Amino acid sequence: EAKSPSPTVKNSVALKDGDKHATGYSETLVKATKEQIMAYMLDTPARCRWSDSDVERNILETKNDHHFVAYQFKKGSHCARLKLLPREGVSAGLWRQETNGSFVYVSVPTEHHLKQNVPAKRIRAKMPTAFSIEEISPGVCRVAYVNQLDLGGIFPAWVMNKIMISNLTLTYKVQLY
């Protein structure tokens, strides 16, 4: 179990044998339709999805209604004698509706011609993610979210794994929205 911002959110972290990056899992119930939840989750550039560290969030390319390439750029950190360069990520996201009516989304790190990596200015982070939204009763859905974080550059895995846990708050943010 990992710390959760709410008693209604269940978070856990696991480390697979041979993998230095932990995988985070978060699950909760949300009082909304699956379409409302999916709209929130897919609206990458929406201001309600921003955190204090975000500098830029946008969609680089829309392949079709179910497939897009997203970009996120976060501030660097200058605390505790650490001076970390800003981080950016480019991910290809794809979603579909399953035969049981639930929605599934998968996002994998990728490269894109509109955002070439310039390591002297920004470090390219990688964060594969997945989530599912399943309606369990009218207007109530189970949201499950999985992610893994590689901040890139020279960064201890244990620090990345601690930061990854903070990404699990997405399910809680969905509840609040």
Side-chain angles (χ1 to χ4, degrees):
E1 291 286 316
K3 187 176 179 184
S4 169
S6 165
T8 61
V9 176
K10 182 180 115 186
N11 290 342
S12 61
V13 176
L15 193 60
K16 293 187 278 183
D17 287 341
D19 198 350
K20 67 179 184 175
H21 299 107
T23 300
Y25 176 83
S26 184
E27 182 178 302
T28 193
L29 297 180
V30 178
K31 292 180 182 177
T33 67
K34 61 187 178 191
E35 293 80 9
Q36 290 169 324
I37 297 167
M38 184 62 114
Y40 174 84
M41 298 288 269
L42 294 180
D43 197 359
T44 301
R47 293 301 284 182
C48 62
R49 294 285 313 275
W50 285 50
S51 69
D52 291 339
S53 62
D54 283 323
V55 175
E56 181 182 348
R57 294 173 68 106
N58 60 43
I59 302 298
L60 297 175
E61 181 179 4
T62 301
K63 306 266 186 183
N64 60 44
D65 289 344
H66 292 260
H67 185 191
F68 61 89
V69 178
Y71 175 76
Q72 190 171 0
F73 169 40
K74 294 193 167 275
K75 297 175 189 173
S77 175
H78 302 282
C79 61
R81 290 186 274 176
L82 291 175
K83 291 187 179 184
L84 303 174
L85 287 173
R87 296 307 199 256
E88 66 179 357
V90 179
S91 296
L94 182 67
W95 72 274
R96 73 178 193 180
Q97 186 168 16
E98 297 292 307
T99 56
N100 69 356
S102 65
F103 292 141
V104 174
Y105 169 85
V106 176
S107 175
V108 294
T110 190
E111 297 296 323
H112 196 276
H113 69 280
L114 291 179
K115 289 294 180 184
Q116 296 298 318
N117 189 20
V118 182
K121 294 184 180 180
R122 300 176 186 168
I123 302 295
R124 182 65 53 94
K126 296 177 181 177
M127 191 171 85
T129 63
F131 65 81
S132 65
I133 305 167
E134 178 185 9
E135 186 175 63
I136 58 170
S137 65
V140 179
C141 295
R142 175 180 295 113
V143 177
Y145 174 68
V146 178
N147 81 14
Q148 190 176 54
L149 179 62
D150 179 351
L151 287 171
I154 301 170
F155 220 92
W158 69 268
V159 173
M160 285 188 264
N161 294 338
K162 283 247 188 226
I163 294 169
M164 182 272 307
I165 292 169
S166 69
N167 291 331
L168 298 178
T169 60
L170 180 59
T171 54
Y172 178 64
K173 291 176 184 174
V174 172
Q175 280 185 324
L176 296 178
Y177 187 72

